[in-house]
Amino acid sequence: MVAESGGPEDQKPQSDEARSAFAPPAGTSQPASPPEEDHPTSEFALPTGVHQDQNGQSSAGGSGGGSNSDTPSSAFTPPATYRAQQSPPAFTPAQGIPMVRLTKEAPWQDRMRTMLRMPVTERPATEAIQRTDDETGPAVPRVLDLTLRIGELLLAGGEGAEDVEAAMFAVTRSYGLDRSEPTVTFTLLSISHQPSLVDDPVTASRTVRRRGTDYTRLAAVFRLVDDITTTDTEISLEEAYRRLAEIRRNRHPYPGWVLTAAAGLLAGSASVLVGGGFLVFVVAAAGAMLGDRLAWLCAGRGLPEFYQFTVAAMPPAAMGVALTLTHSTDIRPSAVITGGLFALLPGRALVAGVQDGLTGYYITASARLLEVMYFFIGIVAGVLIVLYLGLQLGAQLNPEARFSPYNEPVVQILASMALSLAFAVLLQQERSTVLAVTLNGGVAWIIFGAMARTGGISPVAATAVAAGLVGLFGQLFSRYRFHSSLPYITAAIGPLLPGSATYFGLLGVAQNELDTGLASLSTAVATALAIAIGVNLGSEISRLFMGVPGAVGGASRRAAKRTRGF
């Protein structure tokens, strides 16, 4: 049968839009069947001979191919051979994955540290604790900027990298940004937030260019983070920015002349610890105060900290050499120089560097330890210059003259407490924390003296045990006050610093007795590492006595598993 022709409109040729660009032109022949390689099948297509039933399950047989199936199955549909009773252990258990409780039953440091040590896929979604600016959600750039500013103050104040990341993670989660990943290095802070799996991530960074020791400001930042992460208070972004600006504008709690007097008290107390008397106390204090003023002068002229440490180490060493030239028998020059070294040794940076290394932040740890090395080299350079000049002038410096025994334990304990008090003032701590850290320093010296002097145990081992107790008590104090642990730890380790071993090592090097000098310097390095490791171990042990947030069934705090040489 022949179809009837239509009207004039049906006879019009079709336009170019109605014809495919890939259609062969009229009059050309088309192959009967195209080659098979020109029509590749999808990797998700069912093979030939397999068809799907109405329930979406695949079965063999039939003539339907994968590409011609009318009821394609979902990617999440289990295979036909799957049975719930025989599920492999890789599937989610019936009771579900243990959930981390984010309520304020533990300090936010432990809660956020637990979250950071969990795999990203197992972190539970968070509910925004703080109010955002509008109903559509948080202002992501502003939240990230606030987080970076808080992290900058914490890192510049000497806080460990893990605690800085925990604080940044806590702020972002409190404002509803649960898909955030903070990264902390020695001079660079960065944070990335991905709104969803299909949205582009938002990344912001901030460089830490200036560092200053002010534990009062550090405690204020910790209080701000604690208020942001709790449900008891409601802090908007504007309120958080206002409080952060007030923290930045706050002046130091102690004026400059108090800091200089504290440096003298620290050096004088350290000289008493190593066997000096009242005259030694006065001379050591005067040398340390003069060195502190010279360091302030260099800082005002813009000289780097390396030269500031070099200049600050010269006056105490010069006074010790001058006392040697006077042939005075009542004053021990070695005690004067040792007291000046106690006021300069970078114990704070050393503890932070070793702590970062033990917690897995190796880049930050390497940078901190390199900073400690430069400071130590600056101190060595300043002392060696004075010692060489003293030897040229005929000063009789005897590296074999060790310090007198500790025959007055009460005086030693009071001196250690005064040293910790002066150290706390130099660190710009809050007045409410000075008493606690002073007592902590006294306890550390009692433990060290009982083990090393009375018990005859190795001084390095005694130092490690005393530093462990300092870290333990400091961590418990900080959790009770919801503060950083640094104000309760750093000043308390002051009496344990290896000032005498450092001095005798430098004296041996100055007199060209390298074996004796290097042996003494090795003892100083071992003591310093014992202090840092002991403090970190004490902090970790303290968490055994606290309820760490974890699974409902009481799961332990998870840490990264390390390989064993492979």
Side-chain angles (χ1 to χ4, degrees):
M1 185 187 319
V2 179
E4 296 180 0
S5 301
E9 295 181 357
D10 297 334
Q11 300 297 330
K12 293 191 303 182
Q14 296 182 352
S15 62
D16 292 339
E17 289 84 358
R19 186 174 58 194
S20 173
F22 300 97
T28 60
S29 61
Q30 188 166 353
S33 59
E36 184 178 357
E37 58 269 12
D38 292 344
H39 295 276
T41 60
S42 172
E43 57 180 333
F44 300 101
L46 295 176
T48 305
V50 179
H51 67 277
Q52 293 177 335
D53 54 16
Q54 295 181 355
N55 296 328
Q57 296 184 351
S58 303
S59 60
S63 59
S67 59
N68 297 327
S69 176
D70 295 335
T71 57
S73 61
S74 171
F76 300 96
T77 303
T81 57
Y82 172 76
R83 295 293 182 272
Q85 294 80 3
Q86 302 175 354
S87 60
F91 284 83
T92 304
Q95 67 272 15
I97 298 176
M99 181 184 64
V100 175
R101 295 187 295 265
L102 295 179
T103 59
K104 193 178 179 181
E105 58 186 15
W108 63 264
Q109 298 99 312
D110 290 329
R111 288 183 281 139
M112 294 300 109
R113 186 180 290 108
T114 302
M115 296 292 296
L116 285 174
R117 294 185 177 183
M118 291 179 62
V120 179
T121 56
E122 297 183 11
R123 292 177 186 171
T126 182
E127 296 181 1
I129 297 176
Q130 300 299 333
R131 181 177 62 84
T132 54
D133 294 337
D134 50 26
E135 299 297 333
T136 59
V140 175
R142 298 190 64 197
V143 173
L144 297 185
D145 179 71
L146 174 67
T147 304
L148 290 174
R149 292 175 182 271
I150 291 176
E152 178 190 11
L153 288 180
L154 293 177
L155 188 62
E159 193 63 66
E162 187 178 29
D163 290 331
V164 175
E165 281 196 2
M168 296 172 64
F169 195 67
V171 173
T172 54
R173 291 183 67 89
S174 298
Y175 285 105
L177 305 184
D178 57 335
R179 296 177 180 268
S180 299
E181 285 296 331
T183 303
V184 175
T185 58
F186 185 62
T187 57
L188 181 64
L189 298 170
S190 63
I191 186 168
S192 178
H193 170 68
Q194 188 172 11
S196 66
L197 297 177
V198 297
D199 293 330
D200 295 333
V202 181
T203 303
S205 61
R206 196 172 184 88
T207 303
V208 180
R209 302 188 184 278
R210 294 188 60 185
R211 300 178 183 275
T213 303
D214 189 345
Y215 283 177
T216 299
R217 178 179 297 175
L218 191 68
V221 176
F222 263 73
R223 283 193 294 269
L224 174 60
V225 177
D226 183 65
D227 292 340
I228 291 176
T229 56
T230 185
T231 56
D232 299 337
T233 58
E234 185 177 284
I235 299 180
S236 62
L237 287 175
E238 285 77 9
E239 177 68 16
Y241 269 107
R242 184 189 64 80
R243 290 183 55 177
L244 194 61
E246 291 179 354
I247 293 173
R248 286 180 174 273
R249 287 195 302 265
N250 282 346
R251 299 179 61 87
H252 299 304
Y254 307 104
W257 67 269
V258 174
L259 298 180
T260 302
L265 177 60
L266 193 156
S269 302
S271 65
V272 173
L273 285 180
V274 295
F278 178 74
L279 292 178
V280 172
F281 177 91
V282 174
V283 175
M289 288 189 291
L290 179 58
D292 181 76
R293 286 291 91 190
L294 290 177
W296 277 93
L297 181 62
C298 294
R301 296 296 184 272
L303 290 179
E305 287 184 296
F306 176 86
Y307 302 104
Q308 297 176 27
F309 274 86
T310 302
V311 172
M314 288 183 175
M319 287 192 172
V321 172
L323 292 175
T324 304
L325 294 175
T326 60
H327 304 285
S328 176
T329 58
D330 298 332
I331 300 179
R332 303 177 64 90
S334 57
V336 175
I337 301 176
T338 301
L341 291 178
F342 265 87
L344 296 176
L345 292 178
R348 173 184 58 86
L350 175 66
V351 171
V354 175
Q355 180 180 0
D356 288 340
L358 294 176
T359 53
Y361 295 85
Y362 301 113
I363 297 178
T364 307
S366 301
R368 288 186 189 272
L369 294 178
L370 185 62
E371 180 187 39
V372 171
M373 185 189 71
Y374 272 106
F375 291 164
F376 188 76
I377 292 176
I379 297 172
V380 168
V383 175
L384 284 181
I385 290 173
V386 177
L387 291 181
Y388 275 121
L389 292 177
L391 292 176
Q392 297 299 322
L393 295 175
Q396 300 297 324
L397 299 172
N398 186 10
E400 302 295 333
R402 298 296 172 179
F403 298 122
S404 60
Y406 297 84
N407 297 324
E408 298 180 357
V410 177
V411 176
Q412 302 290 330
I413 294 173
L414 292 178
S416 65
M417 295 176 65
L419 192 153
S420 299
L421 173 65
F423 209 165
V425 174
L426 288 175
L427 293 174
Q428 303 280 1
Q429 293 190 194
E430 290 181 313
R431 293 178 174 85
S432 59
T433 64
V434 171
L435 178 60
V437 73
T438 301
L439 296 177
N440 202 9
V443 171
W445 183 256
I446 291 175
I447 299 299
F448 172 79
M451 295 181 64
R453 303 301 171 182
T454 305
I457 302 175
S458 170
V460 176
T463 301
V465 174
L469 290 178
V470 169
L472 174 65
F473 293 148
Q475 199 69 235
L476 294 177
F477 275 131
S478 67
R479 292 305 187 265
Y480 176 73
R481 298 289 300 273
F482 291 95
H483 285 178
S484 170
S485 61
L486 291 181
Y488 301 96
I489 291 177
T490 306
I493 65 173
L496 305 176
L497 293 175
S500 60
T502 303
Y503 163 69
F504 284 114
L506 297 180
L507 183 57
V509 173
Q511 293 183 341
N512 203 21
E513 298 179 0
L514 297 181
D515 293 339
T516 304
L518 293 179
S520 185
L521 288 177
S522 299
T523 302
V525 172
T527 304
L529 292 178
I531 293 174
I533 295 175
V535 167
N536 181 263
L537 182 60
S539 301
E540 294 295 331
I541 292 176
S542 67
R543 295 189 178 97
L544 298 177
F545 303 98
M546 297 181 296
V548 179
V552 179
S556 60
R557 188 168 71 103
R558 304 175 63 176
K561 293 182 179 180
R562 306 298 179 193
T563 59
R564 292 176 176 86
F566 54 86

